Amino acid sequence: MNMEENIELRHLRYFLALAEELHFTRAAERLGMAQPPLSQQIQRLEEALGVKLFVRKPGVKLTAAGEALVPVARRTLAQAKQGLQEVRRAGRGEGGTLQIGFATSTLLGPLPDMIRAYRKRYPQVRLSLHELSSVRQKKALDNGTIEVGFLREPVADETLTCETILMEPFVLVLPPSHRLNGRSKVNLEEVAGEPFVLFPREVAPTLYDQVMSVCREAGFTPRVMQEASVWLTIVGLVEAGLGVSLVPSSFRKLGWGGVQYRPLQKVRAKSSVALCYKFGAVSPQGERFIELVSEMSAGK
């Protein structure tokens, strides 16, 4: 074993006290210990380093090696103190890193406000955000890649705890020159014969099935003529006149071109966004995040 491995932080504290006082008795009093043990610990530090740190007679003075050790000791103790503070903050959920997953469409809801509020309350926590579909988030929660996830129409899974944070109605997305644009509300059956632009089912199976169910309740199965995996692309294709689409109402924030968003009559179904996590696998950082999201959701 190397002698350096026997050096402990307390040895550096003893050394600094003596280096600053240059008097064994005063240094011992400052440290709250007797003078003989202090002298012994300084001796052990010198033996471990293989150099003399102090000249003891006629008065206590630092050697060249001792002068060189002063900044090193101060820096080492400061780094150790900072590191321990980070450990304590992480243990309280006030530091460290939190891995968060989110479905793209949830950015149009309360997620940005929640992220902003969390960062303000816990500025020392590093947030690592992962844009993932709801299906991929479930896998990421299972394998621990993320701790919490914002899912659109979360999949049923008894291993996950999901808290609904948003329920919103569906709206119809219409091209700029569509015949129904002047209406304040429309009946979904009025577009029964028109082409639809939707996302592939594998992107968000539950939401896809819900859209299909809403259309069937209106008396038709939509003719999906164009698919796109990115929501902004779907809205852009509607603007290009390739069809109409059915989306959650928060998509109105996508002020793309001249598309029109029209509320629907007689459609009671709503789209949900939920915060999901694996019970028993959440860090203190995740617990603080879940608490804040619950507070903000309750206040809406």
Side-chain angles (χ1 to χ4, degrees):
M1 179 182 294
N2 295 330
M3 293 298 291
E4 288 87 346
E5 294 180 8
N6 292 325
I7 298 174
E8 301 174 16
L9 291 177
R10 63 190 177 94
H11 293 130
L12 297 181
R13 286 197 296 272
Y14 299 157
F15 164 77
L16 277 180
L18 184 56
E20 291 166 1
E21 298 291 345
L22 293 178
H23 192 282
F24 273 95
T25 302
R26 288 198 301 268
E29 289 174 353
R30 173 173 154 183
L31 292 165
M33 62 191 301
Q35 186 270 327
L38 173 61
S39 182
Q40 292 170 5
Q41 294 300 326
I42 295 296
Q43 227 175 348
R44 288 176 184 172
L45 177 60
E46 290 176 323
E47 291 171 359
L49 291 173
V51 295
K52 285 292 182 182
L53 300 172
F54 296 96
V55 175
R56 278 124 171 116
K57 293 181 180 180
V60 179
K61 294 180 182 179
L62 285 163
T63 64
E67 293 280 2
L69 182 58
V70 170
V72 174
R74 285 176 178 159
R75 186 166 61 248
T76 301
L77 290 173
Q79 290 173 342
K81 182 179 179 180
Q82 181 181 357
L84 291 174
Q85 288 174 342
E86 291 176 0
V87 170
R88 293 187 184 101
R89 282 197 296 267
R92 296 192 300 264
E94 299 170 1
T97 301
L98 177 61
Q99 306 287 345
I100 301 174
F102 67 95
T104 307
S105 66
T106 61
L107 285 174
L108 301 171
L111 175 57
D113 289 339
M114 291 170 172
I115 294 293
R116 198 158 40 242
Y118 184 81
R119 291 189 66 191
K120 183 177 180 180
R121 187 177 295 185
Y122 303 106
Q124 300 300 321
V125 178
R126 178 181 175 273
L127 296 182
S128 181
L129 301 172
H130 306 262
E131 183 180 0
L132 301 167
S133 68
S134 295
V135 172
R136 292 177 63 195
Q137 281 191 72
K138 178 188 176 300
K139 294 178 181 178
L141 287 166
D142 285 340
N143 62 33
T145 304
I146 61 174
E147 279 193 50
V148 295
F150 288 86
L151 283 69
R152 169 75 67 173
E153 310 302 338
V155 292
D157 188 327
E158 61 182 13
T159 67
L160 297 181
T161 299
C162 292
E163 300 177 11
T164 300
I165 62 171
L166 176 67
M167 292 289 290
E168 56 181 332
F170 286 93
V171 294
L172 195 63
V173 191
L174 302 172
S177 59
H178 197 275
R179 58 188 170 82
L180 298 176
N181 278 345
R183 306 269 194 88
S184 59
K185 288 187 177 183
V186 299
N187 290 314
L188 187 56
E189 53 265 31
E190 293 183 81
V191 295
E194 300 190 26
F196 269 68
V197 180
L198 285 179
F199 51 92
R201 186 179 185 276
E202 58 266 22
V203 171
T206 309
L207 179 58
Y208 183 93
D209 292 345
Q210 192 173 15
V211 168
M212 290 296 172
S213 176
V214 167
C215 290
R216 282 194 292 270
E217 288 179 8
F220 70 98
T221 299
R223 292 190 301 116
V224 180
M225 302 302 291
Q226 186 69 47
E227 288 187 334
S229 299
V230 179
W231 289 106
L232 194 58
T233 303
I234 291 174
V235 176
L237 293 174
V238 171
E239 186 197 20
L242 295 182
V244 300
S245 192
L246 193 61
V247 300
S249 63
S250 60
F251 280 59
R252 294 171 184 234
K253 290 184 178 180
L254 294 175
W256 182 281
V259 296
Q260 301 290 310
Y261 297 93
R262 289 291 172 262
L264 297 166
Q265 292 180 328
K266 300 183 295 184
V267 174
R268 295 183 179 180
K270 292 188 176 182
S271 175
S272 67
V273 173
L275 175 68
C276 298
Y277 51 93
K278 204 165 187 178
F279 184 77
V282 180
S283 67
Q285 293 87 347
E287 290 173 358
R288 301 292 86 76
F289 185 80
I290 293 166
E291 289 171 3
L292 183 142
V293 169
S294 298
E295 286 175 20
M296 295 183 70
S297 299
K300 287 189 176 296

